[in-house]
Amino acid sequence: FSDEFLHFLAGVRFTGDVWAIPEGRIFFRDDPVIEVTAPIIEAQMVETYIINQVNLQSIVATKASRCVFAGRGRSLVDFSLRRTQGVDAGMKVARASYLAGFVSTSNVLAGKEYGIPVAGTMAHSFISSFEDELDAFRAFAQTFPERSILLVDTYDTVEGARKAAIVGQE
């Protein structure tokens, strides 16, 4: 780009107007969701960012609402943080899922920032820090005797389930 154009861009500030449907409102294909009115250069500069933000969160909220519907009254928890791509996508997924009807999230930061109830299980890293999976299950159950949720899929799911059953009986 020319120095003149780059100098021009350095001084560009958004002066337009933005209208959007209220958050949480259901919308359908071809419904206007957001409208930006601005000089073309300003509108083009915000276009990709706005589409990215609205698109991701709308997709997640739609999928989450379908899961809530399919769950028929069962409580659903967001556990997506480790598999959600992007620096802040985990926060967006936790929030959009909660808005769509999930009851909690495993994302502690999202719980703090958005007031979403936090729920979770033991961590795979906790299990792998022990020499033996059974010892990890026992230690976790001793620490959380009233509410132990054991992950059985760290090494071998069937064997993990057997070990969890042993701890449950103990």
Side-chain angles (χ1 to χ4, degrees), residues 39-118:
I40 189 70
I41 187 108
E42 295 172 23
Q44 287 179 325
M45 291 179 87
V46 300
E47 175 187 31
T48 299
Y49 178 78
I50 290 172
I51 290 171
N52 177 275
Q53 296 304 301
V54 171
N55 201 26
L56 171 65
Q57 295 175 77
S58 297
I59 289 168
V60 170
T62 299
K63 177 67 174 189
S65 70
R66 289 177 178 162
C67 291
V68 169
F69 179 77
R72 296 184 176 146
R74 294 180 188 97
S75 297
L76 300 179
V77 179
D78 156 48
F79 276 88
S80 68
L81 183 58
R82 291 184 182 158
R83 289 173 179 82
T84 305
Q85 292 78 30
V87 176
D88 65 345
M91 295 290 284
K92 292 179 175 113
V93 169
R95 185 173 176 277
S97 296
Y98 185 67
L99 289 172
F102 278 41
V103 298
S104 57
T105 181
S106 65
N107 184 333
V108 176
L109 181 59
K112 179 182 181 226
E113 293 294 317
Y114 303 132
I116 301 171
V118 177

Side-chain angles (χ1 to χ4, degrees), residues 127-148:
I127 297 168
S128 64
S129 71
F130 285 77
E131 290 290 326
D132 181 82
E133 188 175 39
L134 187 58
D135 291 339
F137 288 174
R138 286 179 173 139
F140 194 82
Q142 288 171 353
T143 304
F144 301 100
E146 299 300 317
R147 192 168 178 192
S148 291

Side-chain angles (χ1 to χ4, degrees), residues 146-165:
E146 299 300 317
R147 192 168 178 192
S148 291
I149 300 173
L150 306 176
L151 293 183
V152 299
D153 65 340
T154 301
Y155 302 113
D156 178 307
T157 304
V158 173
E159 189 58 32
R162 285 187 184 114
K163 291 175 183 175

